[in-house]
């Protein structure tokens, strides 16, 4: 997936700015601290593969009378919405703001095609979302704000990418071509949104800033297209080579810092449920271990697998901390197992121990 993200960034940047800029866009993306997110096998990473293609399809749709491109671009938008909603929202916001920038700068836009993109995307996404909204309604539970300092912005983008991106932004604002307006408005919008905590918005600044990586790298790489040293291009190619080596070394160093977040004990518990769980009743435990149990064993868990995105969850504290629950609570919550750490010396009511390892004890609820 990481390879496909870098390939996607490079290919679409190459379509916008040429092959040299496309190649360098991929290299600069690897040099950023965001390479940590790129190498994670998560829905966001899958969405980032499609995101540049959505933006490119939007650009073609604004220049072409054919309805094929808007519909196809809308399908990509629908795939983004079905894969990772934040990525889809950021991509859609970026193109809408760029459309406004096109209008102000008197570039031609085709509102009908833009509307067709949005309608096509939403129609595809509603196959999944409509039944959920009918049953549960619409709700949004934002996470706690996590602001970044100026140094934090520099650390996440990287000093090299930051300098090149700002230089590329200045050049883009001077040229004001269609592609330049798109990239500049996208980059500025994401920067502004990532600093939304200053006006009271609850934003995870680093997560939002991640979506500025592609336009930042593309604009930074574009400055090498016309660069010459002593009326020669060869020094530029040598500089690109040095930047590429630096980026690869930086990416290798960043990747080397990644450590597994799953302990052997957690893995053992999940494996036990895979072969010994009933795969019907609910496991109540600390949230951290629950996604592992769901993904490996398919056993239901009290947080639903991903607590931050859940509308409502079982009150795990009464089963794991206070141990103040009744038989009716067990039946209503359909609890079948309780997991405690080995430091807890109490046996939960209505249960017996069925498994133990170095860090965890699994109790079977017998009601």
């Amino acid at each position: 997936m990481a390879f496909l993200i870098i390939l996607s960034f490079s290919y679409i940047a190459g379509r916008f700015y040429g092959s040299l800029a496309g190649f360098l866009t991929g290299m600069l993306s690897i040099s950023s601290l965001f390479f940590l997110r790129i190498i994670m096998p998560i829905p966001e990473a899958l969405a980032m593969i499609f995101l540049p293609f959505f933006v490119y399809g939007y650009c073609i749709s604004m220049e072409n009378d054919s309805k094929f491109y808007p519909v196809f671009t809308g399908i990509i938008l629908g795939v983004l919405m079905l894969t990772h909603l934040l990525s889809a929202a950021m991509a859609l916001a970026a193109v809408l703001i760029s459309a406004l920038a096109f209008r102000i700068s008197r570039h031609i836009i085709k509102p009908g095609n833009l509307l067709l993109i949005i309608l096509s995307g939403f129609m595809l996404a509603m196959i999944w979302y409509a039944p959920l909204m009918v049953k549960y309604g619409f709700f949004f539970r934002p996470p706690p704000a996590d602001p970044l300092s100026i140094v934090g912005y520099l650390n996440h983008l990287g000093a090299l990418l930051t300098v090149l991106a700002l230089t590329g932004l200045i050049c883009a604002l001077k040229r004001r071509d269609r592609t330049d307006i798109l990239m500049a408005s996208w980059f500025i919008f994401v920067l502004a949104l990532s600093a939304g905590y200053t006006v009271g918005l609850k934003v995870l600044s680093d997560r939002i800033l991640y979506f500025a990586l592609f336009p930042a790298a593309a604009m930074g790489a574009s400055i090498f297209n016309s660069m010459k040293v002593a009326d020669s291009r060869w020094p530029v190619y040598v500089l690109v080579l040095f930047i590429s080596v630096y980026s690869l070394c930086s990416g290798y160093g960043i990747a080397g810092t990644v450590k597994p977040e799953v302990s052997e004990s957690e893995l053992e518990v999940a494996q036990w449920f895979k072969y010994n769980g009933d795969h019907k009743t609910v496991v109540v435990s600390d949230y951290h271990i629950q996604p592992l149990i769901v993904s490996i064993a398919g056993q239901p868990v009290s947080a639903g697998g991903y607590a931050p995105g859940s509308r409502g969850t079982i009150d795990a504290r009464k089963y794991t901390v206070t141990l103040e629950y009744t038989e009716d609570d067990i039946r209503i919550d359909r609890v079948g197992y309780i997991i405690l750490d080995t430091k807890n010396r109490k046996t939960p009511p209505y249960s017996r121990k069925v498994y133990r390892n170095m860090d965890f004890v699994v109790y079977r609820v017998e009601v």
Side-chain angles (χ1 to χ4, degrees):
M1 290 173 71
F3 166 77
L4 290 175
I5 291 172
I6 299 300
L7 182 63
S8 172
F9 280 18
S10 295
Y11 177 75
I12 298 302
R15 300 293 295 181
F16 282 141
Y17 289 116
S19 56
L20 177 63
F23 169 77
L24 201 51
T25 296
M27 292 293 105
L28 291 173
S29 299
I30 293 173
S31 73
S32 166
L33 185 60
F34 286 120
F35 190 56
L36 278 175
R37 295 201 66 81
I38 289 176
I39 64 177
M40 289 183 181
I42 54 179
E44 182 183 64
L46 183 59
M48 290 301 285
I49 298 171
F50 296 103
L51 194 149
F53 286 93
F54 166 70
V55 175
Y56 182 63
Y58 154 75
C59 284
I60 296 178
S61 300
M62 293 299 99
E63 300 172 345
N64 199 298
D65 291 327
S66 171
K67 300 304 178 186
F68 169 78
Y69 294 109
V71 171
F72 187 74
T73 304
I75 291 173
I76 298 176
L77 175 61
V79 170
L80 283 173
M81 295 178 70
L82 293 169
T83 306
H84 190 245
L85 199 53
L86 176 60
S87 299
M90 294 298 295
L92 185 57
V95 300
L96 289 175
I97 288 173
S98 72
L100 178 61
F102 287 156
R103 190 79 173 183
I104 294 172
S105 58
R106 306 195 178 200
H107 282 275
I108 296 174
I109 63 169
K110 298 185 179 296
N113 284 358
L114 180 58
L115 182 61
L116 189 56
I117 290 173
I118 296 173
L119 290 177
S120 300
F122 273 72
M123 287 176 63
L124 176 59
M126 282 302 107
I127 295 173
W128 170 259
Y129 287 111
L132 293 176
M133 293 176 69
V134 168
K135 186 172 183 179
Y136 300 109
F138 179 83
F139 71 98
F140 176 65
R141 190 169 70 182
D146 187 13
L148 279 178
S149 64
I150 297 297
V151 175
Y153 279 80
L154 189 64
N155 288 338
H156 278 76
L157 288 175
L160 175 63
L161 178 55
T162 300
V163 171
L164 292 178
L166 293 177
T167 305
L169 176 62
I170 294 171
C171 294
L173 293 175
K174 288 182 178 179
R175 291 191 300 260
R176 290 195 291 275
D177 292 335
R178 181 182 287 271
T179 300
D180 294 320
I181 293 174
L182 168 63
M183 292 297 173
S185 59
W186 180 354
F187 182 65
I188 293 171
F189 160 70
V190 174
L191 284 182
L193 184 60
S194 67
Y197 61 88
T198 58
V199 293
L201 294 179
K202 293 182 178 181
V203 294
L204 295 171
S205 296
D206 60 332
R207 293 285 302 278
I208 298 297
L209 187 62
Y210 179 33
F211 295 99
L213 179 60
F214 175 66
M219 287 190 300
S222 69
I223 66 176
F224 292 87
N225 284 339
S226 57
M227 185 183 296
K228 290 184 179 181
V229 178
D231 209 31
S232 174
R233 289 282 289 168
W234 281 109
V236 176
Y237 297 139
V238 173
L239 180 59
V240 168
L241 177 61
F242 276 113
I243 291 175
S244 300
V245 172
Y246 165 80
S247 297
L248 291 174
C249 292
S250 177
Y252 183 82
I254 291 169
T257 65
V258 177
K259 304 296 180 185
E261 293 188 6
V262 177
S263 69
E264 285 296 324
S265 293
E266 291 170 338
L267 188 60
E268 289 169 0
V269 171
Q271 292 286 0
W272 184 88
F273 275 104
K274 180 178 181 180
Y275 298 107
N276 300 284
D278 62 10
H279 307 291
K280 295 179 181 179
T281 56
V282 175
V283 177
V284 181
S285 67
D286 173 75
Y287 162 67
H288 184 74
I289 195 176
Q290 294 193 19
L292 189 67
I293 294 172
V294 169
S295 62
I296 291 180
Q299 183 81 31
V301 292
S302 58
Y306 184 66
S310 301
R311 183 182 184 185
T313 59
I314 294 172
D315 180 10
R317 283 182 56 83
K318 66 183 178 184
Y319 293 100
T320 61
V321 179
T322 65
L323 303 185
E324 296 177 353
Y325 56 87
T326 65
E327 292 187 43
D328 288 337
D329 290 331
I330 294 172
R331 292 190 180 96
I332 292 171
D333 294 335
R334 297 179 55 248
V335 174
Y337 300 88
I338 297 173
I339 302 176
L340 302 179
D341 60 52
T342 52
K343 296 177 183 177
N344 193 319
R345 302 298 182 182
K346 295 181 180 180
T347 299
Y350 313 107
S351 63
R352 61 182 175 86
K353 182 172 67 176
V354 292
Y355 175 78
R356 179 190 178 100
N357 64 17
M358 185 171 66
D359 297 311
F360 300 100
V361 182
V362 179
Y363 294 92
R364 175 62 163 158
V365 177
E366 298 182 319
V367 172

